Amino acid sequence: GSPAAAAADLDVLWLDFGLGGSTRIGAFLDAWWPRLRRGGFLLMHSTLTNAVTRAWLEAQRERRSEAASDVAATRCGHLCEFETLSLLEPHKRYQNSVSIFQKRDGGWAEPLHTMYP
């Protein structure tokens, strides 16, 4: 069966943008994003300082904003409800960033484990 047919049991996915254009990335995310549990992380390498990858990253953020306002919730597919943080690796000239997506679908909230510090 397909990867998506299995339960959402993964905590972390790693995707290097060397995978190729947005079509291949879309196919990867269609197959694997559903396997990521709520609160899980998708780490994507090399997303900030390359024009092609930055355009993809900004498009995802835009689609998420539109989906949040119910303008285009049906058009963003699996990668809709998430928070993201991008980090630059300033000691490197190329392939020098990582973006972290946290899956936040289905009313997910940060867990509370204790009453006191």
Side-chain angles (χ1 to χ4, degrees):
S2 73
D9 57 353
L10 300 175
D11 294 318
V12 176
L13 287 173
W14 170 262
L15 176 58
D16 192 315
F17 236 114
L19 181 65
S22 61
T23 302
R24 289 184 64 195
I25 291 165
F28 177 90
L29 292 174
D30 285 346
W32 288 95
W33 184 258
R35 294 276 319 265
L36 193 62
R37 69 170 177 78
R38 288 186 189 133
F41 296 96
L42 166 65
L43 287 80
M44 296 185 77
H45 187 241
S46 193
T47 51
L48 290 178
T49 58
N50 173 290
V52 172
T53 57
R54 172 66 76 85
W56 181 90
L57 176 64
E58 294 304 330
Q60 301 317 302
R61 290 174 172 164
E62 176 76 18
R63 286 170 39 177
R64 178 198 56 195
S65 296
E66 290 174 355
S69 64
D70 290 332
V71 172
T74 58
R75 127 178 134 87
C76 58
H78 295 299
L79 195 59
C80 278
E81 298 180 65
F82 62 88
E83 289 298 325
T84 183
L85 171 69
S86 294
L87 305 169
L88 187 62
E89 301 172 67
H91 61 286
K92 295 166 59 181
R93 183 172 174 117
Y94 303 104
Q95 297 184 356
N96 57 358
S97 62
V98 64
S99 290
I100 304 165
F101 293 78
Q102 185 180 36
K103 190 174 185 177
R104 297 271 180 118
D105 66 337
W108 186 88
E110 297 285 347
L112 235 149
H113 295 291
T114 64
M115 178 70 78
Y116 302 104

